[in-house]
Amino acid sequence: MAAAGIAMSEVTYGSLVRACEVAGDAQGAACYARQMRQAGLALNRAAATSAARACVNAGDLPTAIELLSVYALDSRASPEGAGLKSGGSPAAASGPGVGGRARGPEAQPWNAALCACASSAEVSTLLAHMRTEDVIQDEYTRSAAITSFGRAGDAEAALRCLRAAGQNARTASWNAAMASVMLCAGRTSAVGTRADLLEKDEYRSSAALVSPAERAAGNTALGLWEGMGAAG
């Protein structure tokens, strides 16, 4: 397109970034995200989401953090989410947001990256980066972080995340916490109907066959259920 003299838009770059993510090419996704800015366009939410998620999936958290920082900067400079004027410099741009106040970046790119995390350290790093960039953590942020902590085998971190939310925690976060403590105890199916469980070879009907860790996790999950009712 560029060689033919056809201008590449935000949509063009966003499509290229997304295509690279789907193809498992994190390096290519990051490259097109950087080219987007070099072309004088702001790194918008869609492109940042795909690029950051691709990088975390590839185990490249530093590049994901780099791109998320760029998105945070550009979203404040261009709160409407539109590209900057041709020849503009995203890094140097500044301006008021809605009502004359700068509008902070939306949480979606970080939330997507959280879902791709494979370790507690990655989850903690992304949450810390959100705080650094003054990104408001929403319910999806919490449930994604709790789920990823559980997937990484860190039940304590998952519970800390839930408790830190206090009264802001909603159903999704509580559900994620219950599933996470069960998952960390080695249960292969944290949720599901009795029929779902009966179809699985690992289903055990005798309480005597449940490990102490699983029993403790079950009690913790029940405690969370009671706490959820109290919070509501």
Side-chain angles (χ1 to χ4, degrees):
M1 287 178 66
I6 302 174
M8 295 175 65
S9 67
E10 274 191 331
V11 175
T12 309
Y13 282 107
S15 296
L16 290 169
V17 171
R18 175 60 178 157
C20 286
E21 180 194 7
V22 172
D25 183 4
Q27 185 176 0
C31 180
Y32 281 120
R34 295 186 182 109
Q35 286 183 21
M36 187 174 182
R37 295 188 85 242
Q38 291 168 2
L41 298 170
L43 182 60
N44 62 18
R45 183 180 61 188
T49 297
S50 291
R53 182 170 51 207
C55 290
V56 175
N57 268 322
D60 188 0
L61 184 60
T63 298
I65 293 292
E66 170 206 332
L67 296 174
L68 289 170
S69 294
V70 169
Y71 164 70
L73 178 65
D74 287 359
S75 65
R76 294 188 182 97
S78 181
E80 297 301 322
L84 301 178
K85 293 180 180 180
S86 178
S89 172
S94 62
V98 178
R101 293 176 299 172
R103 192 175 77 179
E106 296 185 35
Q108 181 178 323
W110 283 268
N111 293 346
L114 283 168
C115 290
C117 289
S119 71
S120 290
E122 289 179 339
V123 178
S124 297
T125 298
L126 282 168
L127 291 175
H129 187 251
M130 291 184 78
R131 291 189 291 270
T132 298
E133 296 290 353
D134 294 324
V135 182
I136 296 176
Q137 298 183 14
D138 55 24
E139 178 64 5
Y140 192 89
T141 305
R142 287 185 287 272
S143 60
I146 290 170
T147 297
S148 290
F149 276 133
R151 189 170 58 243
D154 195 343
E156 287 302 316
L159 292 175
R160 282 197 303 272
C161 189
L162 175 68
R163 296 187 187 108
Q167 294 297 318
N168 291 324
R170 295 293 181 266
T171 303
S173 291
W174 288 92
N175 290 347
M178 286 189 283
S180 290
V181 296
M182 296 298 291
L183 180 63
C184 290
R187 299 291 292 195
T188 56
S189 179
V191 293
T193 65
R194 178 175 173 79
D196 293 332
L197 292 171
L198 286 171
E199 291 178 357
K200 297 181 179 296
D201 293 336
E202 69 272 15
Y203 176 72
R204 293 165 292 181
S205 59
S206 173
L209 296 180
V210 177
S211 72
E214 289 173 326
R215 192 181 305 279
N219 288 331
T220 299
L222 289 173
L224 288 172
W225 170 254
E226 294 172 359
M228 180 180 176

